[in-house]
């Protein structure tokens, strides 16, 4: 995909290696069924519209995002939307992170930020990526979107 290749080529040299490794770890550990594309200015793995035709926020032309990796001005980021609202998964991640990274976790609702490119826990991010299948994510998204009785 030229968009993704252009995005990867645009990353500053000082953090390029770390970002490429982060990208590859997520890509290599992504559960089956998700599609890789550019969405919201980041590399994102989404639920294909063929699987979830309602689209994200009922926008039929926009697939539901799952995980994105992004390069920001001051940090590398993993946006794991599936972790938001999934207390057991969030707790697991917070505990594992504390075990493997000596720095405080810098995280929003779904955004995990790495300001030090040398302290990215690549193996842990790979493990986190594997923790939720596409079916599990679609069910969780339906719940959050209020579509609890969707077939």
């Amino acid at each position: 995909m030229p968009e993704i290749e252009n995005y990867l080529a645009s990353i500053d040299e000082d953090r390029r290696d770390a970002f490429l490794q982060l990208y590859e770890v997520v890509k290599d550990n992504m559960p089956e069924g998700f599609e890789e594309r550019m969405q919201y200015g980041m590399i994102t793995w989404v639920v294909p519209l063929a699987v979830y035709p309602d689209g994200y926020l009922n926008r039929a032309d926009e697939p539901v995002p799952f995980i994105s990796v992004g390069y920001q001005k001051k940090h590398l980021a993993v946006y794991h939307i599936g972790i938001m609202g999934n207390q057991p998964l969030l707790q697991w991640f917070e505990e594992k992170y504390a075990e493997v990274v000596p720095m405080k976790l810098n995280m929003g609702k779904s955004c995990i930020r790495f300001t030090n490119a040398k302290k990215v826990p690549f193996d842990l991010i790979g493990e986190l990526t594997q923790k939720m299948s596409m079916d599990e994510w679609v069910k969780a998204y339906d719940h959050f979107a209020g579509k609890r009785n969707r077939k």
Side-chain angles (χ1 to χ4, degrees):
M1 273 187 181
E3 278 183 303
I4 292 174
E5 290 169 13
N6 290 341
Y7 185 82
L8 294 172
S10 73
I11 297 167
D12 290 343
E13 196 172 312
D14 63 330
R15 290 189 278 172
R16 181 174 292 144
D17 288 344
F19 184 83
L20 290 174
Q21 189 173 352
L22 179 64
Y23 165 69
E24 291 296 331
V25 161
V26 173
K27 183 177 181 172
D28 291 348
N29 288 282
M30 187 59 55
E32 285 192 35
F34 290 101
E35 289 181 353
E36 180 182 0
R37 67 178 319 191
M38 289 298 294
Q39 189 178 38
Y40 303 117
M42 297 177 286
I43 301 170
T44 304
W45 286 266
V46 301
V47 177
L49 288 170
V51 172
Y52 198 93
D54 292 349
Y56 186 52
L57 303 175
N58 292 316
R59 295 188 284 243
D61 62 338
E62 186 176 341
V64 175
F66 175 53
I67 295 178
S68 301
V69 291
Y71 170 77
Q72 308 296 329
K73 186 175 183 178
K74 296 185 179 189
H75 63 272
L76 306 179
V78 173
Y79 293 82
H80 189 305
I81 301 174
I83 207 169
M84 186 170 56
N86 185 326
Q87 193 58 40
L89 183 58
L90 176 61
Q91 184 174 350
W92 171 86
F93 179 72
E94 290 173 338
E95 289 171 2
K96 290 292 185 182
Y97 187 92
E99 290 174 15
V100 299
V101 180
M103 301 167 56
K104 181 181 176 201
L105 176 61
N106 182 350
M107 184 173 175
K109 288 182 182 178
S110 69
C111 178
I112 305 161
R113 298 174 203 89
F114 302 104
T115 54
N116 185 338
K118 294 178 182 180
K119 301 285 185 189
V120 179
F122 298 108
D123 291 340
L124 178 60
I125 296 301
E127 202 174 336
L128 174 63
T129 301
Q130 296 175 5
K131 288 279 186 188
M132 185 177 281
S133 71
M134 186 163 60
D135 286 343
E136 290 168 328
W137 171 229
V138 167
K139 286 177 187 167
Y141 177 75
D142 274 346
H143 178 77
F144 298 133
K147 298 178 182 180
R148 292 178 179 88
N149 297 320
R150 188 175 188 273
K151 302 283 184 219

